[in-house]
Amino acid sequence: AETRVALVPGGPHPFFANWEGGGVDAVKDFGVASSDYRVPQEWKLDMQNKMLESLVSQGYNAFAVFPGDANGTNAMVSELKDFGAPTVSIAGCTQSPSPVEFCLATDVYKSAYQGTMALIEAMGNEGKIVHETSLLIDPNTQLRVAAVEQAIADAQAEGKKVELYQHLTDVDDQEKADQKINALLAGKAHEFDGLVSTAWVASVVTSKALRSSNNEDLKFIAIDHDQIVLDAIKDGVIQGTMLQNPHGQAYIATYALDKLLNGCTIKADAPFSPTPQHTTFIDSGTMLVTKDNIDNWEAEMKAVTDGIMATFDEKFLDCAS
Amino acid sequence: MKNDNLMKRFLAAEWSSLLILSLVMMAAMTIITPRFLNFDNQAILTRSLAPLLIVAFAQAIVIGIGQMNLAVGAIGGMVAVFFGGMMEAWGFPIPVAIAIGFACGVAAGALNGAIIAFSGINGFIVTLATLSIFKGLNLGVTKSIPFYEMPDALVWFGEARFGPFAAILIVPVICVVALAWFLKYNIYGRQILAVGGNAHAAELAGISNNRVTILAHTISGALAGVAGMLSVARLGVGQPTIGGDWLLASFAAPVIGGAILLGGHIPILGTVLGVLVIILIENLLVLYGVDPQYNEFFVGALILAAVGFNHWRSLRAEARLKEGKA
Amino acid sequence: MTDVALKIENATKRFPGVLALDHAALELRPGEVHALLGENGAGKSTLIKIITGVHEPTEGTVWVDGEEVTFKSPHDAMDAGIGAVHQERNLIPRFTVAENIMLEAVPTKRGQVDYAEMRRQAEYWLSELDLDIDPDLPVQRLSVAQMQLLEIARALSLKSRVLLLDEPTASITEHEVQVLFSFLRKLKAQGVAILFVSHKLEEVFEICDRVTVLRDGKNACTNVPISDLNRDGVVAHMVGRDNALSDLGHRAPVDAPTKLELKDVSTRIGHSNVNLHAKKGEVLGFYGLVGAGRSELARALIGADKITGGQVLIDGKEAKISSVQDALRKYQMGYVSEDRKGDGLILAHSVADNIGVTIWHKIAKFGGFVTDTMQRKSVRGFVDRLEVKTPSLQQTLGNLSGGNQQKVSVAKWLAAETEILIIDEPTVGVDIRTKGYLHKLIWEVAEAGVTVLVISSDMPEIVAVADRLIVMNEMQVVGDLPNSRDYDEMSQKIMQSIVGASDLKESA
Amino acid sequence: MPPRPDAVNLNELLARIAKSAGLALIVGVLILIFVYGAQGFTSKFNLFNLTRNLSVAAVVGFGMMVVLALGHMNLALGSTALASVMIMGWVMKVAALPVPVAVGCGLAVGSLLGLLNGWLIVKTKLHSFIITLATASMFLGLVLIMFPGGPISDLPREFTGISKTRYFGWVSGMLLITLVAGVVLAVMYRFTTLGRQMLATGANPDAAELSGIPVSRAILLAHTLSGFLAALAGVMFTARQGSALLSTGEDWLLASFLAPLLGGTLLAGGYVSVVGAFLGAMLVGILQNGLVLIGVPDFWVEFVLGLTLLITVSLDRLRNVLAARRGN
Ligand SMILES: Nc1ncnc2c1ncn2[C@@H]1O[C@H](COP(=O)(O)OP(=O)(O)OP(=O)(O)O)[C@@H](O)[C@H]1O
Ligand SMILES: Nc1ncnc2c1ncn2[C@@H]1O[C@H](COP(=O)(O)OP(=O)(O)OP(=O)(O)O)[C@@H](O)[C@H]1O
Ligand SMILES: [Mg+2]
Ligand SMILES: [Mg+2]
């Protein structure tokens, strides 16, 4: 049958824009019938579910989904499965046990851990750290909080004089983030030494705030590839950002879904790298971008994708024919 | 004796308890972090105050005629991305972009008002529908990707400050003063309040309810548009998400300040203080480092306390008035 | 110049289910007061609303100064020099007295509202009407009567050439009526054409020059000089049959145990040391000038306001009333509000629901089930008895004529079958036939053992109806008079009580 | 002389039916358009999902409608649902009590929170808007404090099964719950003292008070009912999602107003239409579903949705105006 893949994010957000290219490239490279980027109108589970339902009605037969809710999306996926449509979760994982074929995403725990470690290094191995993260009701928030705390604990174990100052949550809305982060910087900047962000919006707002405050004492490791963040790294305003691999996620997912629809299955003994959240997890890659590699991160990221692709069939797929 | 009178009059004013409340909160914050009173911090505070102030009045003017404008955020967001887009994609100079952006806000508001006036459909439904339309335009145009390249002058304006005041505060100050004058000393302003107070009576007095509806919504749209553009200046980015979060605060501030949802009364100082209280509550929680899990709870509790306090005072004042009459 | 200021012909207005006006006609001349009469629901207010552009007529033509005009909105009518006081109160509660008076003609200076000038003009109109109200007071603090006077002041301030007054005297007392009349005479002299609607025929004969009577939306007589008519003639035109008015008859003083007693009652509003009592089956009248505090006392009695001191005894036992519900359920006490638009009736609901509201808990079956049919059954009798003019029981109450709304307001409390009934201004806006009928009804109810407290600003009414009279002034009882039912004698005694009390106060 | 006042007036009866008939007609036309114009609209899969979504949306609408009857609002509808389903999930999963007990607990929590809203409104005499705005935050906050571990997933099949039942292969079983709730509400407003008291309170609180209606009790009960319905909607939503989610009710606010208002319920209070609220939910649900199927580009769906909504409402309005003219 023709494979018609739908790439469905949780809602409109610039992070996912690179999926579109990933899907298009996969269609070109692997001869898949189509791989379309379809966006729910709003960031809410209900909207996403309705979108998925209507996509089935429109004839899509394979899905790569960013779970609008790690638990809630499972129910939807099992219905897609009942309908005979293979589904993978990308960019974020569902909660296991889960009916998705696999989850291809950034290891948020690893990314937050590495980001915090990078920050500690940038701070010269001492000082207090603020962690900015997203909504409390987002389950990944818990993982990120844990990762940051673990990284700090590990650093302390190595004798570094670092400690956690505060978790600042609920900074997903641009205007709210602007107010909260600026209030924190203005009121208490002298009481801590570095910030690590695990949320897109907070990264953007903090990069801007640091640029305008000219506060060279504060170190900052952001997340994702917003232009403002990248520019801030180029100009040395902030120290780095943890990149994710949205293009690769869509690219690999399209490829795999096509295979799954055409007779392949996921190997029973596939070498997944389970996370606390998800058992059939595949790391889509993450990398730290600093001033040093700011100009060729796209190529480096492509290499990561190619690395996963090179061994994908062999590691994960069981194709009868 | 005279002081006594002054004190009494102060206490009888509907905004007095809110003022006391904000002062108490500021004092609390100064104790928690002495740096709170820093010019730096004050500038940050006034900076986040600025767009919300305008938003609150965009809603207040419609509440004044006993209606609601659910589309304030959507208009703000739409104007914001048009404004950003004109400067980034078409390279329009700032004044031209401002003028066109303002016109967009006016047009959007006038559209709301005209539909409500001429169709007779409930304003709630109309503005809910246009909310979708304006937000849809925003999404359709931007595909949710922001406009980044804002002119330096605008970014500078968004960040500049004079002493403890953010430069952008000048915009809401002008808006609020103009609105206060308009509502008190302009015939059309009085007509808005008259229609809100008793639409039928106003109609019989020869005031066209339709015209007033259109006027109030147009002003609302214009203010929402200004708030949208101001947010672009403040954030330095033409964000499609601007306005997404305005709705509740836009109601909360005037209502905390003493506005009546049935219409007929727009508390100017009350609304300003209402915005201040909301911002202070959020700042207090950040500065106090309240465990994030408790955050939401305290926001609710503090709003309740603020309103309860204000209401208690007005009841007291009312009772005293009655007794005094006896 | 023609000698007709305003003319309307073929005026027809059809509401769903109702033909309110049926080819009615009328003409107003400069310098004349023209009476528009008719029973409740005859179409008087509708005619005025058509002239002023509030309602679009189904048919009909209006001429002003001989020129045909069409008014699309009240604004147009105002521009053409037509001012009106409508039957229902139409004020902006939060605006001050001055602002309300000057609502149509806001004085401005350099584009700004000129508050000083506004106040000055408002004060002028207030003093013209001999009204002692602070122009800076918000209107929501005024009593119903004060509001009515305010509306008159507002219409006068327009200095219109045609002035339409729909029952301007319905809820004001004799004194204010006289002030108003002397002012109307002044306007007459200036050549203003005035239309005057009233159910009080004495007033009509006192001030009017011509009469038009409507009956069921049609002209029963048109533009007839008043000199050609007498009281009976007018009534015959209105009623359309001869069984016009029956006499109230006689009623012996009541000798029964005391039902309700107030001992040194004081309230939050300012009543102090109010002492009075009412017997079972007695009709106790309350008279007082505007703002005397009668309505407020009644509200306190039924638990809608706070009693701060003293005792209320019902059947000799101290009554504890903390809510209207208490009053109704525990003590079978009800209150017919004077403000039917404000808190008396639910205008948006049906006639049946408005009457049924006090008895739902009684007629409900199986612990709370009420159907429209059950309700209709219980309610129909009252509607028939009071001859409420409505196309059906499901008609929205707000669509009824003012007088008919008043009947519903009384019917609702008759339905409640209370033991103590307080009726505040029972016949505001009610036509003379129904008025007589209502008076009779009050007696009937009393005869059945109900203690009726009647508050009225209409002295003839109170003298005709009450067994005994309580006179109030400035929140105090200043007289407790047995009623001889002789109008001249009683009116003198009443005024003496009031004046005497004020004198006492002044000399103190 | 006055016509027989109790003659059952055929015109009025027709008028009452016609009020909802306009909306019903529009919904019917929309269905026709989508049946022929939107590929996949009539598939059993789609219809099943449509009826399922609609069932929840209608109950949410009812939850707002019962306070709108008073002229009040309940901005805490979503948070109430959240608190109810989290506690229900806890009882079901952690305390491992039988499903009916857990559902009962959830509904009880919702009712209690509603009662709390009502009590605060009666005691403080503040506008319901501001009270429920504050309690919305507080309920959400309490849930975050009580459930730091986040959602409760993997609810028993016995429970999630509620959302999977279907009749004729395409009608969701949940529709039955909604219909029962609707009928009960309709009976309450038309045939009980309580319902009438609530409407009278909404239309004119002062007059209701002066007529001896227990206004405070009516307010308390209406808000309790609103809390109950919020919880019921939450339970249905949760059955569908398979887990008690922290995002429950997050975005119900505007939709909850939209359904009853489209159906003719007055924002000012005093009049409700249960059938109308159901049709309103249907209109929105069908539009959302059909517009995507008909091929409107994703980023423009929101725009087209608003536009069609406006057009349909205007058509209904136009029909009413024309009907009134004809009555003249
Ligand atoms: N908006 C309306 N809708 C339906 N019927 C109406 C409406 N307004 C008035 N009516 C009906 O029209 C008829 C005439 O009413 P109108 O108010 O003109 O009487 P009126 O002569 O002023 O009586 P009253 O002395 O009681 O004030 C009444 O039967 C009334 O029920
Ligand atoms: N809510 C209120 N608060 C303060 N004062 C009030 C209030 N309501 C009425 N008053 C004032 O109390 C006084 C007594 O009014 P009340 O209505 O009892 O008089 P009344 O004897 O019934 O006369 P009438 O109804 O003819 O004016 C009036 O001066 C009125 O302005
Ligand atoms: Mg009338
Ligand atoms: Mg009175």
Side-chain angles (χ1 to χ4, degrees), chain B residues 181 184-187 190 193-194 197-198 200-207 260 264-265 318 321-323 325-326, chain C residues 54 74-75 78 86 90-95 99 103-104 106 108 111-113 115 141 154 268-270 305:
Chain B
W181 174 86
K184 178 83 184 166
Y185 289 106
N186 185 285
I187 295 199
R190 294 314 291 174
L193 292 175
N198 184 345
H200 186 62
E203 183 88 54
L204 289 181
I207 299 171
I260 302 167
H265 180 51
E318 185 82 356
L321 208 117
K322 278 195 176 177
E323 278 155 21
K325 218 174 157 172
Chain C
V54 177
H75 190 79
M78 235 168 269
H86 290 279
N90 290 296
L91 297 163
I92 317 280
R94 273 190 161 259
F95 278 23
E99 278 183 281
L103 195 60
E104 288 99 341
V106 184
T108 53
Q112 291 204 22
V113 176
Y115 281 96
R141 296 208 185 282
R154 176 161 98 184
R268 206 179 51 169
I269 313 286
D305 219 320

Side-chain angles (χ1 to χ4, degrees), chain B residues 5-318:
Chain B
N5 242 332
L6 221 76
M7 190 68 200
K8 257 195 195 134
R9 274 191 31 209
F10 168 75
L11 285 176
E14 65 180 355
W15 42 265
S16 60
S17 57
L18 281 179
L19 185 61
I20 295 172
L21 195 76
S22 349
L23 290 176
V24 167
M25 279 165 64
M26 290 198 204
M29 282 192 258
T30 313
I31 294 169
I32 297 165
T33 27
R35 274 204 173 195
F36 173 76
L37 285 181
N38 264 7
F39 278 12
D40 276 344
N41 204 28
Q42 293 302 307
I44 298 286
L45 193 81
T46 49
R47 195 158 157 269
S48 40
L49 204 65
L52 192 57
L53 261 175
I54 305 180
V55 174
F57 280 97
Q59 192 63 262
I61 189 101
V62 181
I63 293 179
I65 57 166
Q67 297 187 5
M68 302 183 176
N69 184 2
L70 303 182
V72 274
I75 295 176
M78 179 180 73
V79 171
V81 298
F82 284 179
F83 180 59
M86 280 185 285
M87 293 183 298
E88 181 183 310
W90 296 334
F92 283 15
I94 299 177
V96 176
I98 289 179
I100 300 180
F102 186 78
C104 276
V106 167
L111 184 72
N112 275 342
I115 296 176
I116 294 167
F118 295 124
S119 73
I121 303 170
N122 185 327
F124 191 96
I125 296 182
V126 170
T127 54
L128 190 56
T130 57
L131 177 153
S132 279
I133 293 178
F134 298 143
K135 192 163 127 195
L137 265 179
N138 173 344
L139 267 183
V141 168
T142 60
K143 308 235 182 311
S144 89
I145 297 176
F147 292 105
Y148 284 112
E149 302 299 324
M150 294 300 108
D152 294 341
L154 188 76
V155 176
W156 172 85
F157 176 63
E159 274 160 14
R161 60 192 181 83
F162 303 102
F165 298 110
I168 56 172
L169 196 62
I170 184 73
V171 181
V173 166
I174 292 172
C175 289
V176 172
V177 170
L179 203 64
W181 174 86
F182 176 73
L183 288 174
K184 178 83 184 166
Y185 289 106
N186 185 285
I187 295 199
Y188 297 108
R190 294 314 291 174
Q191 290 190 350
I192 285 179
L193 292 175
V195 168
N198 184 345
H200 186 62
E203 183 88 54
L204 289 181
I207 299 171
S208 159
N209 282 1
N210 283 354
R211 244 183 32 205
V212 168
T213 299
I214 296 174
L215 177 65
H217 276 277
T218 306
I219 295 174
S220 176
L223 287 173
V226 171
M229 292 189 282
L230 201 64
S231 295
V232 174
R234 175 186 160 206
L235 300 174
V237 187
Q239 267 283 348
T241 56
I242 284 173
D245 232 22
W246 290 356
L247 188 63
L248 280 184
S250 78
F251 279 106
V255 173
I256 289 176
I260 302 167
L261 287 173
L262 291 175
H265 180 51
I266 301 176
I268 299 282
L269 265 172
T271 303
V272 171
L273 288 168
V275 174
L276 185 63
V277 165
I278 291 174
I279 296 277
L280 282 176
I281 288 177
E282 284 179 358
N283 268 39
L284 182 71
L285 293 173
V286 171
L287 288 186
Y288 195 61
V290 170
D291 189 345
Q293 258 136 9
Y294 289 81
N295 224 318
E296 275 290 338
F297 181 78
F298 281 119
V299 170
L302 284 172
I303 289 183
L304 205 56
V307 190
F309 184 53
N310 199 21
H311 184 65
W312 173 77
R313 183 212 47 80
S314 71
L315 282 186
R316 281 292 306 273
E318 185 82 356

Side-chain angles (χ1 to χ4, degrees), chain C residues 358-415:
Chain C
T358 51
I359 50 168
W360 286 333
H361 63 284
K362 281 191 201 156
I363 59 174
K365 294 217 175 81
F366 319 116
F369 279 86
V370 185
T371 65
D372 278 352
T373 323
M374 285 159 66
Q375 176 167 273
R376 261 202 296 273
K377 245 184 236 152
S378 325
V379 154
R380 185 195 307 139
F382 296 98
V383 171
D384 288 348
R385 204 163 143 201
L386 291 176
E387 293 186 8
V388 177
K389 193 178 170 195
T390 172
S392 88
L393 283 179
Q394 294 312 121
Q395 172 74 319
T396 305
L397 187 69
N399 288 345
L400 259 50
S401 79
N404 282 303
Q405 289 177 15
Q406 181 66 25
K407 294 184 202 170
V408 170
S409 167
V410 173
K412 145 179 161 181
W413 282 104
L414 288 181

Side-chain angles (χ1 to χ4, degrees), chain C residues 71-230:
Chain C
F71 298 138
K72 289 238 176 306
S73 74
H75 190 79
D76 294 350
M78 235 168 269
D79 279 350
I82 301 176
V85 172
H86 290 279
Q87 187 172 8
E88 306 298 342
R89 300 289 63 78
N90 290 296
L91 297 163
I92 317 280
R94 273 190 161 259
F95 278 23
T96 63
V97 169
E99 278 183 281
N100 268 290
I101 293 178
M102 305 305 299
L103 195 60
E104 288 99 341
V106 184
T108 53
K109 202 164 71 188
R110 280 180 258 113
Q112 291 204 22
V113 176
D114 184 350
Y115 281 96
E117 173 65 15
M118 179 190 285
R119 204 188 134 94
R120 211 184 51 71
Q121 293 192 21
E123 260 167 357
Y124 167 76
W125 291 109
L126 286 173
S127 70
E128 280 291 302
L129 283 177
D130 200 14
L131 262 178
D132 179 26
I133 312 178
D134 177 1
D136 291 332
L137 211 62
V139 156
Q140 54 191 352
R141 296 208 185 282
L142 301 186
S143 73
V144 174
Q146 287 172 321
M147 289 190 198
Q148 174 133 41
L149 290 163
L150 200 62
E151 290 225 44
I152 297 172
R154 176 161 98 184
L156 298 180
S157 78
L158 279 178
K159 302 192 191 143
S160 325
R161 290 174 307 129
V162 178
L163 190 58
L164 313 173
L165 305 172
D166 195 352
E167 302 198 29
T169 56
S171 48
I172 57 179
T173 55
E174 196 57 31
H175 170 72
E176 288 93 13
V177 172
Q178 285 313 321
V179 178
L180 173 64
F181 281 4
S182 63
F183 197 88
L184 290 186
R185 288 194 188 98
K186 247 199 272 177
L187 291 181
K188 240 166 96 167
Q190 292 164 11
V192 176
I194 299 167
L195 182 68
F196 182 78
V197 180
S198 175
H199 290 295
K200 299 177 185 165
L201 292 187
E202 315 81 58
E203 293 174 358
V204 171
F205 283 96
E206 184 178 344
I207 186 111
C208 297
D209 305 294
R210 260 170 222 280
V211 179
T212 293
V213 179
L214 290 179
R215 185 166 71 232
D216 293 332
K218 295 191 197 64
N219 284 62
C221 73
T222 318
N223 311 329
V224 182
I226 191 107
S227 45
D228 295 359
L229 286 167
N230 60 13

Side-chain angles (χ1 to χ4, degrees), chain B residues 322 325, chain C residues 141 143 146 290-296 338 457 475:
Chain B
K322 278 195 176 177
K325 218 174 157 172
Chain C
R141 296 208 185 282
S143 73
Q146 287 172 321
V290 166
R294 298 159 297 166
S295 306
E296 295 295 335
E338 67 181 324
S457 305
M475 310 280 174

Side-chain angles (χ1 to χ4, degrees), chain C residues 14 302 324-325 342-343 345-346 349 353 357 360 364 368-372 375-376 380 384 391-394 412-413, chain D residues 3-6 8 12 187 190-193 196-197 199-200 203-204 206-207 209-214 270 328:
Chain C
R14 191 187 295 278
I302 53 144
V324 181
Q325 215 198 338
D343 56 21
L345 294 169
I346 301 172
H349 282 185
D353 278 336
V357 64
W360 286 333
F369 279 86
V370 185
T371 65
D372 278 352
Q375 176 167 273
R376 261 202 296 273
R380 185 195 307 139
D384 288 348
S392 88
L393 283 179
Q394 294 312 121
K412 145 179 161 181
W413 282 104
Chain D
R4 292 282 311 141
D6 63 332
V8 175
E12 265 165 35
V187 166
R190 274 197 61 61
F191 299 120
T192 72
T193 331
R196 283 165 193 267
Q197 288 178 343
L199 291 176
N204 186 343
D206 292 338
E209 178 89 51
L210 271 192
S211 305
I213 284 181
N328 243 3

